[in-house]
Amino acid sequence: MRFAVGLAKDNVEERLEAHGLSRRDFLKYCGVVAAAMGLGPSFAPEIARALTTGRRTTVVYLHNAECTGCTEALLRTSDPFLDVLLFDAISLEYQETIMAAAGHAAEEVLHKAIADPNGFVCIVEGAIPTAQKGIFGKVGNRTMLEINNEVLNHANCKAVISYGTCAAFGGVQAAKPNPTEAKGILQVFPKLAPKTINIPGCPPNPINLVGTIVYYLQNNGAIPKLDDKNRPELFYGQSVHELCERLPHFEAGEFAESFNSEEARKGWCLYNLGCKGPMTYNNCPKVKFNGTSWPVAAGHPCIGCSEPDFWDQMSPFYG
Ligand code: SF4
Ligand code: SF4
């Protein structure tokens, strides 16, 4: 797969074709995104328009303290459109994991991108270490704290997407005793709340990122309605429990008591095995990962990974 960082801003459909992808398949994919956004299949052409027309929004993608699992999940998705669209429908100027440039050249790319007079969107992955003025996390000899402060508070930064639970809420780095005092973006920069969208999950479903970008493009830079944790209600408006296919068994009082049991295989509820679905807001049962499955369907309890402090608050993970 070839990524379009640095490609000329030509026609998106032509570039999709260059990747061997047909318009028909593209529309089918847009239908999947529409469904994740709670829209019917008839909205697929509108989604396609949002992704293929208009000026491509400049995007910079910062990495902080994390495992890079969010980027890995994004790049390794089985859906061929996800990565192509993310890198073709937007103008991704800076992404440390996949960009060819390094060192001073990379720094130049970043500074050029954030100087775009039309503004830019910043996607952030990873938490920011704040102890001792941020010295526990550096890129190019500058602390992540300094870099994020410069980029996210830049006058040209139109929106911030905190992608993954680390960026949204601190994630694993912030688990007790949190020696680096790692924090989520809004914990460090609370004033950014009006323009920040949290897409938590460990990792999040890439469809939720694409859907957020589609909404942003369709609505001239407006951000979707958010819940009290800055998560888009479109994707995080219902609990995992409400959407779970094992819910009828929960309601019937049918609980599996061990993983290797006939009841677990028959689809009985995993609550007694530690499932945190009732306390967790996300659309995993509806959207599934790579459109195929999700943890509870595979027989593993939900561990609450899209909630703040889930490492501390949701453990023990197994009942
Ligand atoms: S949210 Fe999870 S998958 Fe993403 S970077 Fe953090 S630890 Fe890794
Ligand atoms: S398996 Fe979990 S999410 Fe599903 S019904 Fe049981 S408690 Fe709820």
Side-chain angles (χ1 to χ4, degrees):
M1 181 65 66
R2 173 167 156 256
F3 296 105
V5 176
L7 274 188
K9 295 179 180 180
D10 51 3
N11 182 282
V12 173
E13 276 194 50
E14 276 174 23
R15 277 178 284 132
L16 288 173
E17 275 172 26
H19 287 292
L21 301 166
S22 73
R23 177 168 174 77
R24 189 161 169 267
D25 288 343
F26 175 49
L27 281 172
K28 199 168 150 200
Y29 171 73
C30 291
V32 172
V33 176
M37 295 173 77
L39 304 169
S42 61
F43 281 84
E46 266 187 48
I47 304 281
R49 259 194 302 281
L51 288 167
T52 56
T53 55
R55 186 187 178 280
R56 288 195 296 151
T57 301
T58 295
V59 173
V60 300
Y61 194 123
L62 299 181
H63 284 285
N64 294 314
E66 46 144 343
C67 78
T68 322
C70 296
T71 287
E72 289 292 334
L74 190 60
L75 299 182
R76 292 174 195 280
T77 178
S78 66
D79 196 313
F81 286 106
L82 198 56
D83 37 17
V84 173
L85 285 182
L86 270 179
F87 296 104
D88 280 358
I90 59 177
S91 184
L92 184 62
E93 302 294 334
Y94 182 90
Q95 216 280 11
E96 288 150 13
T97 305
I98 60 169
M99 66 194 295
H104 293 299
E107 296 297 299
E108 268 175 43
V109 170
L110 177 62
H111 285 107
K112 201 172 152 202
I114 66 176
D116 185 338
N118 292 305
F120 67 92
V121 171
C122 185
I123 302 175
V124 191
E125 182 177 329
I128 303 176
T130 62
Q132 297 180 42
K133 298 185 180 165
I135 61 164
F136 296 104
K138 285 187 165 186
V139 177
N141 209 29
R142 286 202 303 157
T143 65
M144 292 164 177
L145 186 58
E146 275 178 274
I147 295 167
N148 282 259
N149 187 34
E150 179 192 6
V151 176
L152 306 184
N153 285 308
H154 197 288
N156 293 343
C157 181
K158 303 293 184 201
V160 177
I161 299 176
S162 297
Y163 189 51
T165 296
C166 297
F169 306 129
V172 63
Q173 300 72 212
K176 288 176 186 158
N178 191 4
T180 67
E181 292 175 27
K183 294 178 180 173
I185 302 304
L186 285 180
Q187 290 171 296
V188 181
F189 305 112
K191 287 187 180 158
L192 295 177
K195 67 174 182 183
T196 298
I197 305 163
N198 284 337
I199 314 256
C202 190
N205 193 319
I207 288 280
N208 293 345
L209 177 62
V210 175
T212 299
I213 290 169
V214 165
Y215 185 96
Y216 182 87
L217 297 175
Q218 274 183 324
N219 294 278
N220 299 318
I223 62 174
K225 189 161 184 255
L226 306 176
D227 69 6
D228 61 354
K229 297 183 177 74
N230 276 59
R231 302 175 292 199
E233 289 188 357
L234 279 172
F235 312 117
Y236 298 88
Q238 287 178 280
S239 71
V240 166
H241 183 67
E242 287 171 273
L243 297 168
C244 181
E245 62 258 41
R246 294 183 191 243
L247 182 58
H249 293 288
F250 175 93
E251 288 171 343
E254 294 172 342
F255 299 98
E257 299 299 338
S258 80
F259 289 111
N260 188 25
S261 65
E262 196 49 41
E263 290 76 20
R265 279 190 285 277
K266 280 195 302 192
W268 285 24
C269 175
L270 305 178
Y271 187 75
N272 288 352
L273 295 171
C275 186
K276 306 299 188 298
M279 295 79 97
T280 305
Y281 286 77
N282 209 335
N283 59 0
C284 308
K286 180 177 163 191
V287 176
K288 301 182 170 58
F289 287 83
N290 290 322
T292 57
S293 192
W294 68 291
V296 168
H300 191 284
C302 168
I303 60 170
C305 75
S306 55
E307 294 298 319
D309 301 326
F310 81 95
W311 289 98
D312 294 326
Q313 301 299 328
M314 301 290 190
S315 57
F317 292 140
Y318 302 106

